[in-house]
Amino acid sequence: MSFSWWRKSKREEELREEVREHLEMAKQDRVERGESAKEAERAVRREFGNVELVKETARDQWRWKWATEIAEDVRFGLRMMRKNPGFTSVAVLTLALGIGANTAIFSLIDAAFLRGIPVRDGNRLVLFQWKAQKSPGFEQYMGSGYCISKVRGADAHGCSFSVPFFNELQKQGGSGFSGLAAFTNAGVIDLAFDKSATIVNEGTQAVSGDYFETLGIKPELGRLLNAADDTPDGANVVVLSYKLWRTNFASNPSIVGQTVRINKVPCVVVGVTEKEFTSLNPGEELEMWVPLSLRPRLSEHWDSRERDSRAWWVAVVGKLQGGASQSQAEAETSMLFYNAMLHGDKPMSKAADKPAMVLAGLQEGFAGNRRDYGTPLQVMMLAVGIVLLIACANVAGLMLSRAAARQREIAVRFALGATRGRILRQLLTESLLLSIAGGTAGVVLASWCLVLIGSFARAVTDDGLPFHPAINLKVLLFTGAVSIVAGMIFGMVPTLMRMKLNLVPALKEGVGGSAQTRRPGREWLNAGNGLVVAQIALSIVVLAGAGLLVRTLQNLRHLSPGFDTRNVLTFSVDPTLIGYKRADIDNLYRELNSQLAGMPGVVSASYSWQALLGGGWFQTGFHADGTPKEQQSTADFLPIGPNFFHAMRIPLLGGREFLPEDFAQAEIAAQADIERFERAAAKLKGGASAETKAEASVEVPPIPALVNRTFVRRYFPNGDLLGRVVGKRAAIPEKSISEQPGWRIVGIVGDAKYDSLRREIEPTVYIPNSAGSVSFVLRTETDPEKFVPQVRAAVNRLDSNLPIFEVHTESQQIDQQLAKEELVARLSSVFGGLALVLACVGLYGLVSYEVARQTREIGIRAALGAARGDVLRLVLTQGMRLALVGTVFGVGLGLMLMRYLKDLLYGVKTADPTTFVVAAVLLLTVTLLASYVPAQRAMKVDPVVALRYE
């Protein structure tokens, strides 16, 4: 750089010296011919011409002209920015708001969708997925949210497989892979170390022994799991996440080799993962990893049938061999999957179902929290993009009004010989300098926006955002690109308008003049008015979208879930985590329920397998009377404790609630199922006879059940359901273990939401809870949060080792349910308000510009007798006319764009007239206010002063 500058300076000096010598020689020649020195110098300069033009021509030969001109343009642009600090400040701040909002939302999108998963050779890793025209005949299917799945009905697809199929993949399908690994969620885990206990709720993963090797993950401390750990006789070992090691174990370097208790099972810590790795699933942060072989020892609920080929519950990833083709590997594994489905030990599909395998890259295959945040982030990006367009229109209006003051300067440049391209480049350079300054300020503003978004997220949910946005190089490149595009957008219109100057009028007129031709009767069709219309139209879109999202949140908040949500406290316990046996759990629940119900201030208490609106749910299949034998009906399924409907205030519509003997009967039936299945499975495995199979299918008594109103309406609309038995109960291995037929209907209750406010109420079956983990529910007379210490004390009196978790009030659970809607509504309201403010500022500036352009006209009208009210009406009418045009365009554009909000809305249509009317009225009001101040200024125009410009 310094060498180039030295060369340029040297050539400039040589050029000046050469011109000086040439002039001196010509002058000397004329003096020798008898002319005086003064006359000779004047004649020489006249003959030589414009010295600077000659120098410019010489510089063109050096090919430095473009660099010099750009540097001059930049210097001049910076000088103009310093000269007009008010204009610069408003323009830069306006752009910073638009660019900063775009940068903040893009950083969220980058964290959720664009950031690579922290593994080595991630481009060679693939997630195994299956597809079929009809759902395979599996008996168990557990999806852990790794991919978007549809496992029932036509065009089924998912990413869970059976353990036997994974083993088969390792044996026969590994030719195109350098590694294969299986993994699944290990459920709720009780972790204890050094007399302290904590619940790792769904933060533990059970993985095959080659999981970390396949992903290329390195240990921060110790070692990671290997194939020797994942064997039935392997030692009980566990790997901790870096975060868990830091927070729960205080970064203790000697943790490796020490023993922790996981669900009362002693496990040796063998290592800690590297800091960068948290999970393969976007938005998920795991805390522990255990071998797949250890999972049966950690769960009382473990069922040996989960090793069956019809139990699909593990996800599979593979690393392609170097140079291996993904399509070839997909074809080979598809053939293996097809043969297993049609010709395995237990065929589950037909040839017409076309079962096949799909290999997806990690970035495309894993869904994680992307399913919940994908559409909202896309909508927010659209919203901030519109806000940026409004900001660009705003700045374009400011530059357009500023152009009136600079038209004489531009005319003088043209008169002195400047080309249109040269002027165009100068003006666009000034626009780009403004946009770059706005982008720089926008980065700072974006960091503040991310803090604000994080506080919004923490305010609506305890966990905050599942992703961790940051201003990185990718985001900065995006901001730079947006800044340049924005500069071109808002700079183009005013620049092109300046290119249409008529030089003679422009050189004659002052600041208040207009050198542009205005067509009679069409004065309102100019660039300024077009920008007004654009801002109003775009603002209508943002405000209408924000209104629809806010109304969705209100609809969900005021939605009746079918039970009373006031003064309700819920908490979960799982005695199996600390070694309780099935027979002891019922006694524990009855005693705990009795103590809770007897606490002062508690109205009633009960429990259920899942808390209502807690997010978890279960669906079962059965055969309804009057339907074809092969047709399976479905219903939501919820085991409950005594007095559940009374505690939740769900009305009893007919029949009765559960009696103590109903719970005893349910326990007998459940125990009989387990015993008969284990006995039948053992005999069938050894080649049982037909008599043995018949013995295995001995019928057991039906379980008492209550159903909701929707169940009656859908399956038994014309008959008396009370006392009837739905289906036939038989505990045989050939029956799907997800089916639970054999219910004797003893009562009918009102409809109630199960897992989600958004999901429509489905037919629901309630049965007596016999064992397992449950969620207790307390209805209190006052604030339920005040009862948390008493609840913990009651649990400790029964068993001090029994942990409780997921302690929430029903209101808090609803808040957790609506966290995404709350966040989206808040952000959309902020962006809607930002659009409104920018539109207001832009409208004020553009209307003021139009008033300045019409100063002479207003002066003439006043001179001819127009009253002040007439002038006020003239200006306001022009502003409102533009607002009406913009509103029409905005409503039309909004109706086209609102369809992208369809998946986010609830209880409101995309073309909701109320929302659009409110948005239109709000914009018209803002337009009226923005036009009033310039109108008042127009009323004060002195006709004498205005006419002096002529």
Side-chain angles (χ1 to χ4, degrees), residues 318-387:
K319 176 178 284 188
L320 295 170
Q321 291 274 13
S325 166
Q326 181 172 326
S327 58
Q328 182 62 31
E330 185 174 287
E332 293 176 0
T333 53
S334 284
M335 182 61 66
L336 186 63
F337 182 69
Y338 182 88
N339 290 332
M341 293 297 98
L342 269 67
H343 310 298
D345 58 339
K346 295 179 180 179
M348 287 172 272
S349 296
K350 300 177 181 179
D353 299 335
K354 298 181 179 180
M357 190 75 76
V358 177
L359 301 182
L362 295 188
Q363 201 71 20
E364 302 82 28
F366 277 98
N369 288 288
R370 294 171 175 172
R371 292 174 299 176
D372 296 329
Y373 286 88
T375 301
L377 285 177
Q378 292 173 14
V379 170
M380 289 299 101
M381 198 67 205
L382 177 62
V384 295
I386 294 175
V387 169

Side-chain angles (χ1 to χ4, degrees), residues 37 45 102 137 183 220 232 272 354 460 471 488 532 655 698 733 786 913:
R45 287 191 176 275
N102 277 267
F183 55 98
E220 180 75 23
V272 176
K354 298 181 179 180
V460 299
I471 307 297
M488 298 296 292
V532 171
V698 175
K786 297 179 180 178

